[in-house]
Amino acid sequence: MNREKLLKNMTDQVKEAQLKLGYAKETVRLYYPVDSLNTILGSNAKDDQEMLTLLRKAFEAKSSLGELHFYSHAGRVEISIPPEGSQWVHEQVETPAFLKDLIQLFQEHHACTLEEICQVFENHGHEYVCEKMPEGSDFDYAIHFKDPSIDEYYYCIHMEMGHTIYHRFTESDYQAML
């Protein structure tokens, strides 16, 4: 089971939330579909209850995010990160320059253009892929770096009624969405 990969994913999500909303020393709750956790962990739990058993065993020892708690919530798995985990991310995890710039663009320009978004990618690693999403998708475009060491996530963009939003997915969750 790839415990470290899940810890990195959780840390990335907490850092993104802190960049968007600001830091507060509080409990953070993340929700994962079982399929996503299976992919991240390299496991094959059949349902949320089996996943809870795997997670509780894998995280018996305290992690850098503190003592994690796991619950089943509407068929998904809730991972509860204590306030000291949120504080650890704030104090110990460097802010990714790319993510900071992307979030700043979305905060300053609620109707940012595809060209502006692509410029942020260009500024941080010249080789990226921008694809039009299939008809009927919830998103208009998907953008990701060819080199995942710059940023490993897929950013799905939706433009509607004067607002532009993004959602960030792992590659496997992005592929499953297609």
Side-chain angles (χ1 to χ4, degrees):
M1 180 176 290
N2 197 338
R3 175 187 149 126
E4 294 307 311
K5 191 172 178 184
L6 179 57
L7 282 169
K8 181 188 180 316
N9 184 276
M10 290 187 293
T11 300
D12 289 351
Q13 288 194 56
V14 171
K15 192 63 168 183
E16 179 187 25
Q18 289 176 351
L19 284 167
K20 286 180 174 179
L21 305 172
Y23 164 69
K25 186 177 178 182
E26 61 188 9
T27 298
V28 176
R29 290 172 180 82
L30 303 175
Y31 298 87
Y32 289 88
V34 172
D35 289 345
S36 294
L37 287 171
N38 275 330
T39 300
I40 292 169
L41 293 167
S43 59
N44 59 355
K46 294 175 188 77
D47 57 30
D48 54 338
Q49 294 305 309
E50 192 173 325
M51 181 55 74
L52 288 175
T53 301
L54 290 171
L55 289 168
R56 288 175 178 147
K57 182 174 176 149
F59 288 92
E60 286 175 335
K62 199 173 186 180
S63 72
S64 54
L65 295 176
E67 185 178 340
L68 304 175
H69 295 279
F70 306 96
Y71 308 97
S72 176
H73 184 65
R76 297 179 299 163
V77 174
E78 174 190 322
I79 302 176
S80 179
I81 301 168
E84 64 263 20
S86 179
Q87 180 178 3
W88 181 84
V89 171
H90 176 69
E91 293 175 352
Q92 302 298 319
V93 177
E94 187 176 328
T95 299
F98 163 74
L99 189 57
K100 179 183 175 196
D101 289 350
L102 185 67
I103 289 171
Q104 184 175 355
L105 172 65
F106 277 84
Q107 288 175 335
E108 292 176 358
H109 304 287
H110 294 284
C112 56
T113 65
L114 182 62
E115 291 75 20
E116 290 171 317
I117 297 165
C118 288
Q119 187 60 55
V120 174
F121 277 80
E122 182 79 23
N123 291 346
H124 288 277
H126 306 289
E127 294 201 60
Y128 64 92
V129 175
C130 178
E131 304 172 308
K132 184 136 178 69
M133 294 292 290
E135 194 67 36
S137 170
D138 290 338
F139 300 100
D140 302 311
Y141 298 93
I143 310 172
H144 68 278
F145 286 105
K146 287 184 177 182
D147 178 0
S149 70
I150 299 168
D151 185 286
E152 66 187 87
Y153 296 97
Y154 282 60
Y155 293 82
C156 293
I157 311 298
H158 181 66
M159 299 168 178
E160 181 177 66
M161 298 176 62
H163 293 284
T164 306
I165 62 167
Y166 82 84
H167 286 278
R168 184 168 84 156
F169 296 94
T170 62
E171 180 180 6
S172 59
D173 284 341
Y174 170 75
Q175 295 298 333
M177 183 174 53
L178 294 178

